[in-house]
Amino acid sequence: ICGVCGHEHKPSAAAMIRSADSSWRQGEFLSAAAQYELATDAAPKALEPLYDLALAYYRDKLYEMAVRYLDRVQPSATGELRLRCLLLHGDVEYRLAMQQSPERRVQGLERALHLYREASAEAPGSRLNGVARYNVEVVKLKLPSVRREAPGAETTATEVDDTSAADIAFKTRMAAKQPNTQPQSQDRDW
């Protein structure tokens, strides 16, 4: 209740986002998620808070919740926000796949590969295109060994040789560090 006018004033979506961003910077991702959720309620057509909500859940390793909000924002997202959604969705699929049995891991990695390829194809000039291309190569390096672990797993993704000369050199450099290689995250720069 306002001390000046006596009415109850609700915080604006922008104020909630600032509060969520503050929690984010402190590493309090669930607190940030709660604030982003309030911001999405206050501004239901705003896509950025939905993406931020998905990212907060991803950072707290609540991958299914991240997918829930990505599924809400991704169909309407355009431009760089759509690219960030595709990359985050690919990251979620990758993380979920790595927690699964070998057969399911193949399917999850193929879903991640599809999302990373889509991101790379959608915005070849974007600053995030390098992240997408790197993640495509990481998954392509992991898939053969995972397929060997899961002899009954069927390939669902179309095998595409989308490797350029620059990517071949890049892939060669990456091969030396394959066991520890993971997709790059496009998290915000704070």
Side-chain angles (χ1 to χ4, degrees):
I1 297 184
C2 178
V4 175
C5 69
H7 291 96
E8 182 178 348
H9 297 281
K10 293 183 180 183
S12 68
M16 290 178 220
I17 290 171
R18 283 192 302 275
S19 176
D21 290 348
S22 175
S23 294
W24 176 278
R25 286 188 295 275
Q26 295 169 17
E28 298 170 2
F29 302 117
L30 285 179
S31 176
Q35 291 296 317
Y36 288 131
E37 182 107 36
L38 291 172
T40 63
D41 291 344
K45 293 185 180 189
L47 298 178
E48 196 71 37
L50 280 172
Y51 172 80
D52 292 340
L53 182 56
L55 186 57
Y57 282 127
Y58 171 79
R59 289 296 301 260
D60 215 44
K61 298 182 171 115
L62 297 171
Y63 302 126
E64 289 83 6
M65 290 297 290
V67 168
R68 178 179 168 192
Y69 289 99
L70 282 170
D71 286 346
R72 284 180 55 192
V73 69
Q74 194 170 326
S76 302
T78 59
E80 187 163 310
L81 180 60
R82 176 160 169 73
L83 182 57
R84 290 184 357 233
C85 287
L86 289 168
L87 289 171
L88 182 57
H89 205 152
D91 292 349
V92 168
E93 290 293 343
Y94 179 89
R95 302 284 182 221
L96 288 171
M98 298 311 287
Q99 299 173 357
Q100 301 296 320
S101 66
E103 293 83 12
R104 292 183 147 225
R105 191 175 305 145
V106 168
Q107 295 168 352
L109 288 175
E110 287 177 341
R111 283 191 302 273
L113 182 62
H114 171 78
L115 289 162
Y116 292 145
R117 282 180 171 154
E118 187 177 345
S120 179
E122 272 199 27
S126 168
R127 64 180 179 81
L128 294 175
N129 185 268
V131 173
R133 286 183 34 229
Y134 176 88
N135 292 350
V136 164
E137 295 304 318
V138 167
V139 175
K140 284 169 54 178
L141 285 171
K142 288 216 182 276
L143 268 172
S145 64
V146 172
R147 283 189 180 122
R148 283 192 296 276
E149 292 175 25
E154 294 182 24
T155 301
T156 57
T158 306
E159 289 296 325
V160 176
D161 185 8
D162 54 0
T163 310
S164 67
D167 287 340
I168 292 171
F170 180 67
K171 189 174 183 179
T172 303
R173 289 192 308 272
M174 283 180 44
K177 57 182 180 176
Q178 179 185 2
N180 298 323
T181 303
Q182 295 191 7
Q184 290 179 352
S185 177
Q186 79 288 349
D187 282 358
R188 317 171 189 209
D189 296 327
W190 289 106

